[in-house]
Amino acid sequence: MATASAGGTLVIWWPAFTVGAYDAVFFDDMLALWAVATAVLLSGAVLWRRGVLPWAGALALFLPSVWIVLDMVAPRRQGFPYLHYVEVVLTMVGAPMLTWLLSRILLPDYAALPALQRLGAVAVTVVVGLLAFLLGQFNYLFLTCADFDVSGNNVPPHCAQGPPFHVSGQNTGRGGR
């Protein structure tokens, strides 16, 4: 269960944080989700005879590719005003789905696990996603604008002013490590 949970949380934590901090899912997060979903989809196709990837799972894994195609064909000037919400939903729903599908493919005895443990891996992914979103929303409580700037990220609109928490091993006066 821990392996499956870790895989899912690696996919969801940063997009959830950015939705909290910036009210956006960045393109590289969507492309990361697409890459993982496509890898799992292709792996499932290779292992199709084992029956590890149900049709509904294959369809779910294909959704990030659908989003990319929609973004390519949507008119740039007028566009689809709600396409952003589609990408947020795909990311937030996609990560728990990926956790479940990765578990089915990578863990040979997955079906033998009790149902609560199988659902537990997905639940852990959802909880980490929610926590990451909240960390993004309340980033000003533990990060500064300089922390975002030093890391190469854009500064979110509601960050706290001040020096970065920890730069190059130097204590910056905020209780460095």
Side-chain angles (χ1 to χ4, degrees):
M1 182 179 116
T3 303
S5 298
T9 58
L10 287 174
V11 173
I12 200 170
W13 85 268
W14 184 247
F17 181 87
T18 62
V19 168
Y22 302 98
D23 192 30
V25 175
F26 298 145
F27 75 91
D28 53 340
D29 297 328
M30 279 305 300
L31 291 176
L33 178 64
W34 170 83
V36 173
T38 302
V40 174
L41 178 64
L42 295 174
S43 298
V46 169
L47 301 172
W48 197 265
R49 291 185 183 188
R50 281 186 37 204
V52 295
L53 185 61
W55 284 100
L59 183 61
L61 291 171
F62 193 64
L63 285 177
S65 293
V66 171
W67 174 82
I68 289 173
V69 170
L70 277 176
D71 200 37
M72 286 179 185
V73 299
R76 287 283 177 198
R77 294 195 187 263
Q78 296 169 1
F80 296 112
Y82 300 107
L83 194 57
H84 167 72
Y85 298 108
V86 172
E87 72 185 34
V88 170
V89 169
L90 279 175
T91 303
M92 298 308 154
V93 172
M97 175 64 78
L98 281 172
T99 301
W100 175 68
L101 290 168
L102 278 170
S103 300
R104 287 192 65 168
I105 291 172
L106 298 177
L107 302 173
D109 297 330
Y110 177 75
L113 290 174
L116 283 177
Q117 286 185 8
R118 290 183 293 193
L119 291 174
V122 174
V124 166
T125 302
V126 170
V127 168
V128 168
L130 290 172
L131 291 172
F133 171 78
L134 291 172
L135 288 173
Q137 279 285 290
F138 299 104
N139 68 76
Y140 56 86
L141 295 174
F142 64 100
L143 296 171
T144 67
C145 298
D147 288 316
F148 287 95
D149 197 36
V150 165
S151 71
N153 290 296
N154 290 328
V155 175
H158 55 279
C159 61
Q161 296 300 315
F165 181 68
H166 189 265
V167 179
S168 303
Q170 298 174 3
N171 185 343
T172 59
R174 281 192 58 199
R177 298 174 199 180

